[in-house]
Amino acid sequence: MVRGMAHAHELADVHGDVALDRVLEQVARSAGAVAAVLAVECADGRHVWHAGDLDVRDAEALAEGVLEQGAVPEHVLVTQVPCRTCTAVLAVVHDPAAPLDPAADRLLEAAAAHAGVALELRTVLEVGTRESERMTRLARLTHEVATAADEQTLADVVARALPGLTGARAATVMRLEPKVGELHVVAAHGHDDAQREHLLVTPIRASEVPELAAMLNRREPAVLHIATASEPLRELFRITGSATVLSVPLVAEDQLLGVLTAGWGQVDALADGEAEVLDSLVSLAELASTSWHNLRLLAAVHHQSTHDGLTGLANRTSFRNRLDEVLRDAVDGEGTAVVLCDLDRFTGINQLFGHSAGDEMLRQVAARLGGELRAQDVVARLAGDEFAVLLVDVDDQRADAVAHRLVDSLDSAFRIEGRDLRITVSVGLAVHDGGGGRGDRLLAAADQAMREAKQRGRNQVVMAGAEESAPVVPSLEAELAQAAGSNQLRLFFQPLVDVTTPDGGVVGAEALLRWAHPRLGLLSPAAFLPLAEESGLVTELDLWAVDAACGALAGLEPGPVPLRIAVNMASATLLDPRMLPTIRTALASRGLEPGRLEIEVVESRALADLPGVVDAMRELRQLGVRLSLDDFGTGYSTLSWLHSLPVDQIKIDRSFVMRLPDDGASVAVVRGVLALARELSIEVVAEGVEDAEQLASLRAAGCDIVQGYLLGRPGPVLLQHLVAREIA
């Protein structure tokens, strides 16, 4: 079976074609027939199906004749095919040498009816296929719009999708610049290179185009025609080859963001389907507006988190991050400089002229400093009247020249609130050559140089000198990074004791980290944990401690009471994706019940990032691991948050215990914490118990579990029983 003219096999669904093929094959095999031709004329063109002993060219010629009601050979029978969506004619070619079957007319009518049903089926399937494809395209477009990473990506996605969605020849996305009342084309699709270049570089002033001004004021879609357009708009139509343009404003949260346009080359392009096209364009505009608004909100939040609100410069955090990146990427021969600028006697500006004048002074200083720098350099406001400049790929001489230029830039008077005000600046300069530098050290060196500049009389530059690269010897940080792999870490255990009985009983222990340094000896946590937190190594140490503690617990002989072991964990570790898998493996590989492991979170540190930490704590609770809030009472908002924190235990900080029993306030705090914990069914441990009077006071207050030197010092062995001592 062959179909011709408009490539019907590309236009019809395969199942509808099969039905038509079968009808024609049956007709072509009927008595006296040698071929059958079905000629169809639809909105999308002519299509021909044929079967039997007839080639494609003859079939197309016959189809053209019957559709145009031309002369038909006597041996060809023709009849109309009933069809609601197109004009269709069925022609049956008989053998001229054979007599015509008396029933041929009835057979032809029956075949026409079957062909009509097949055509209707084909139409239904085509509509269903198109709708399915449309929904798939819309779903894909919705995803692309909603997940666009930035405004330009969003505009490109929308402009590319508009022609396919509306049938337009071309489309644009325009961004409104409200301060100047201009529309700027940020994305265009369907134009040639010259047209696209013109659109992208030519702003459209709404005040000069009445149609656009009216649309933006009403914030309603508008259909624009070249014949009735104002002259500026008509010229734009000519340049872009448009005759009809449908424009829809982009509005979100009552904020006008821009305009979408879809253009056609024909004046009557929307004569029949304007409402449908408008609905599609409005729907896309609403989706794009929401996504555009969200992108702007995210960009604003990110900008606020990395920039100073008064001057718009980078803030301290952003500056430090960029400084660390530059130092990390630097190679030998590339110098990195920090220029620290502190305004001299700035407080006097605020005192004499008010804070508004001081704020304006800071804004103007920021502008002048920025005007002296290259694009790759960074200027930031660190605090108050202190600015910092990062110079990339400079040597000492160039860095010093830039620093002096910064001083000179502030020489001329500042015009503020009708007054000419002057100010000077003291500048400290520090330079590091090559990689391996530390941002905090470079900043500290520049700060020290700046202080020296002030001591020398202000309004000058002092260079700290190029920071020497670190000598090729292992630093404490580098050694700490290798400590776990070099078998240098140790755990010491301090018992937790139930004091409800006269002789006491060990119910668990706290695992305390030690570093067996090869040169410095056994180091306590105070000697290396601050460095670990600063350098990002604390998570490695915490995960090692969890595994080692579970190993120690599994190595105990079975006792009357299963001991628990507590491991301190930093909030950074709680938020690390390796934390949960490490704990699961440590417990499962030793066959330990999760409830025998306690994770201690230091209140004053971990609660600083409450949402993320709480989520991690809840995951640990779901695993069955117990949670303890360490140093309780030393943080902030503790009592108001305690009810919502997923903890099993709180540890009263030693700063309260050490004042017992003589300090009435400490006694009241301890009793209050115990009463609150009982109401919330939370276990309490008092840490730092060093003498019998403190123990007696805790017992009297109702504290059951204690920890401290009185009951046992930290040691390398995990004890199941106390060494004989009187704790009564």
Side-chain angles (χ1 to χ4, degrees):
M1 182 63 58
V2 179
R3 295 172 291 280
M5 284 194 178
H7 300 289
H9 64 286
E10 296 176 358
L11 304 172
D13 183 273
V14 63
H15 297 295
D17 286 348
V18 168
L20 288 172
D21 291 344
R22 289 177 178 172
V23 169
L24 292 178
E25 288 171 355
Q26 290 175 358
V27 173
R29 292 197 303 267
S30 62
V34 296
V37 175
L38 177 63
V40 179
E41 187 161 26
C42 297
D44 59 354
R46 288 181 176 178
H47 313 287
V48 177
W49 286 262
H50 76 278
D53 188 14
L54 200 65
D55 61 27
V56 173
R57 184 175 300 176
D58 291 340
E60 291 180 350
L62 179 58
E64 184 175 356
V66 297
L67 285 173
E68 296 179 2
Q69 298 181 350
V72 177
E74 292 183 358
H75 61 281
V76 177
L77 297 180
V78 177
T79 187
Q80 289 290 124
V81 174
C83 183
R84 291 173 296 176
T85 58
C86 57
T87 300
V89 178
L90 177 62
V92 179
V93 182
H94 289 268
D95 183 358
L100 188 64
D101 190 329
D105 289 337
R106 292 196 305 274
L107 291 173
L108 185 61
E109 293 298 327
H114 286 297
V117 172
L119 280 174
E120 295 286 356
L121 172 63
R122 178 176 178 272
T123 300
V124 170
L125 291 173
E126 277 184 341
V127 171
T129 300
R130 286 197 299 269
E131 183 63 19
S132 176
E133 291 173 350
R134 176 176 173 275
M135 295 305 294
T136 300
R137 287 197 304 270
L138 284 176
R140 184 165 56 248
L141 175 60
T142 300
H143 175 74
E144 290 179 354
V145 169
T147 58
D150 51 53
E151 292 185 25
Q152 186 59 56
T153 301
L154 172 64
D156 290 339
V157 167
V158 172
R160 192 168 56 249
L162 266 173
L165 189 65
T166 62
R169 181 185 62 82
T172 65
V173 178
M174 303 182 190
R175 181 184 67 243
L176 177 66
E177 299 293 347
K179 291 183 178 179
V180 293
E182 291 181 349
L183 287 167
H184 291 253
V185 174
V186 292
H189 187 77
H191 306 85
D192 62 32
D193 291 344
Q195 292 170 341
R196 186 173 184 275
E197 180 66 22
H198 178 83
L199 288 170
L200 292 176
V201 301
T202 308
I204 303 172
R205 287 188 173 273
S207 60
E208 298 175 357
V209 183
E211 299 92 336
L212 288 180
M215 181 195 69
L216 295 177
N217 287 332
R218 292 194 301 267
R219 299 189 178 185
E220 296 176 351
V223 181
L224 309 173
H225 298 286
I226 190 170
T228 57
S230 60
E231 183 53 38
L233 190 59
R234 189 179 301 123
E235 179 62 21
L236 186 61
F237 276 32
R238 291 193 191 101
I239 292 172
T240 59
S242 299
T244 303
V245 172
L246 181 55
S247 300
V248 177
L250 294 168
V251 181
E253 298 294 330
D254 203 35
Q255 181 182 4
L256 188 59
L257 305 176
V259 174
L260 297 187
T261 72
W264 290 262
Q266 304 83 27
V267 175
D268 59 349
L270 299 177
D272 297 325
E274 179 178 321
E276 182 180 352
V277 172
L278 181 60
D279 286 345
S280 298
L281 193 56
V282 168
S283 297
L284 180 57
E286 291 174 350
L287 180 64
S289 299
T290 300
S291 183
W292 201 335
H293 181 67
N294 290 341
L295 285 171
R296 289 192 172 181
L297 287 178
L298 290 173
V301 170
H302 176 71
H303 187 273
Q304 290 170 6
S305 69
T306 57
H307 289 76
D308 172 51
L310 177 65
T311 64
L313 299 178
N315 61 17
R316 178 182 292 272
T317 300
S318 179
F319 184 84
R320 284 291 305 271
N321 290 342
R322 180 57 184 152
L323 175 58
D324 289 340
E325 288 176 5
V326 170
L327 288 171
R328 184 173 60 248
D329 296 339
V331 297
D332 290 343
E334 288 184 0
T336 302
V338 169
V339 186
L340 210 57
C341 307
D342 192 85
L343 302 182
D344 299 325
R345 301 181 179 89
F346 175 75
T347 304
I349 300 291
N350 283 330
Q351 292 174 343
L352 291 173
F353 305 107
H355 287 282
S356 62
D359 289 348
E360 180 59 24
M361 171 74 79
L362 292 172
R363 282 190 285 265
Q364 292 190 29
V365 167
R368 291 194 189 182
L369 295 178
E372 299 296 328
L373 303 176
R374 303 166 299 173
Q376 63 265 42
D377 300 326
V378 177
V379 59
R381 182 183 176 214
L382 301 188
D385 58 356
E386 186 177 57
F387 296 82
V389 172
L390 170 62
L391 302 176
V392 180
D393 193 13
V394 293
D395 55 20
D396 290 8
Q397 184 176 359
R398 176 170 175 77
D400 185 66
V402 173
H404 280 88
R405 203 164 66 234
L406 294 174
V407 173
D408 294 342
S409 73
L410 304 185
D411 262 353
S412 58
F414 293 85
R415 189 69 178 171
I416 297 175
E417 297 180 354
R419 303 182 183 91
D420 286 337
L421 303 181
R422 294 182 179 276
I423 199 161
T424 60
V425 62
S426 297
V427 174
L429 170 63
V431 183
H432 174 83
D433 180 55
R438 287 276 297 270
D440 54 349
R441 293 175 182 171
L442 202 56
L443 272 169
D447 183 72
Q448 184 60 40
M450 179 270 294
R451 295 179 188 279
E452 187 174 342
K454 284 189 177 293
Q455 292 173 357
R456 292 183 184 182
R458 308 174 190 270
N459 197 32
Q460 58 186 287
V461 176
V462 171
M463 178 183 284
E467 183 196 2
E468 295 295 331
S469 296
V472 187
V473 294
S475 64
L476 194 64
E477 178 181 333
E479 290 177 315
L480 183 58
Q482 302 297 322
S486 301
N487 196 30
Q488 296 173 8
L489 298 181
R490 304 285 186 270
L491 284 184
F492 275 42
F493 305 94
Q494 186 172 33
L496 275 67
V497 181
D498 183 346
V499 294
T500 57
T501 59
D503 55 349
V506 176
V507 295
E510 180 179 359
L512 303 168
L513 197 59
R514 299 289 188 268
W515 181 10
H517 194 282
R519 293 183 291 105
L520 305 176
L522 192 65
L523 301 180
S524 68
F528 61 90
L529 279 185
L531 174 62
E533 292 182 340
E534 178 186 348
S535 60
L537 295 172
V538 68
T539 296
E540 307 299 331
L541 302 185
D542 286 350
L543 297 181
W544 179 91
V546 166
D547 186 72
C550 289
L553 197 59
L556 292 177
E557 294 291 333
V561 178
L563 296 189
R564 306 194 304 256
I565 195 161
V567 178
N568 289 280
M569 189 166 285
S571 56
T573 307
L574 285 171
L575 299 174
D576 193 284
R578 297 171 294 169
M579 183 267 294
L580 276 175
T582 297
I583 290 177
R584 286 194 187 97
T585 301
L587 292 169
S589 62
R590 273 86 175 201
L592 296 175
E593 291 295 325
R596 296 183 66 186
L597 175 64
E598 289 179 351
I599 298 299
E600 290 191 7
V601 181
V602 178
E603 176 207 14
S604 57
R605 183 172 66 242
L607 293 187
D609 184 20
L610 183 62
V613 170
V614 169
D615 290 341
M617 293 169 73
R618 289 197 177 108
E619 290 183 289
L620 286 170
R621 281 286 296 275
Q622 292 173 1
L623 183 61
V625 174
R626 288 169 53 87
L627 294 169
S628 176
L629 197 59
D630 201 8
D631 297 343
F632 186 80
T634 62
Y636 47 92
S637 300
T638 301
L639 296 180
S640 64
W641 288 350
L642 184 60
H643 181 68
S644 63
L645 293 175
V647 297
D648 303 280
Q649 179 190 89
I650 55 178
K651 301 185 78 171
I652 300 175
D653 186 69
R654 65 182 68 250
S655 62
F656 299 105
V657 174
M658 66 184 295
R659 298 187 180 96
L660 299 179
D662 300 325
D663 182 66
S666 294
V667 172
V669 168
V670 169
R671 288 178 176 171
V673 169
L674 287 166
L676 177 64
R678 278 193 293 271
E679 290 295 323
L680 298 175
S681 300
I682 296 176
E683 184 179 80
V684 177
V685 174
E687 55 183 352
V689 180
E690 297 183 358
D691 59 46
E693 289 77 15
Q694 294 169 352
L695 178 59
S697 179
L698 289 167
R699 273 180 162 169
C703 184
D704 297 336
I705 301 176
V706 299
Q707 173 185 353
Y709 283 2
L710 177 67
L711 305 167
R713 291 177 176 271
V717 179
L718 180 55
L719 299 176
Q720 293 179 270
H721 306 282
L722 286 179
V723 176
R725 67 172 67 222
E726 180 61 43
I727 66 168

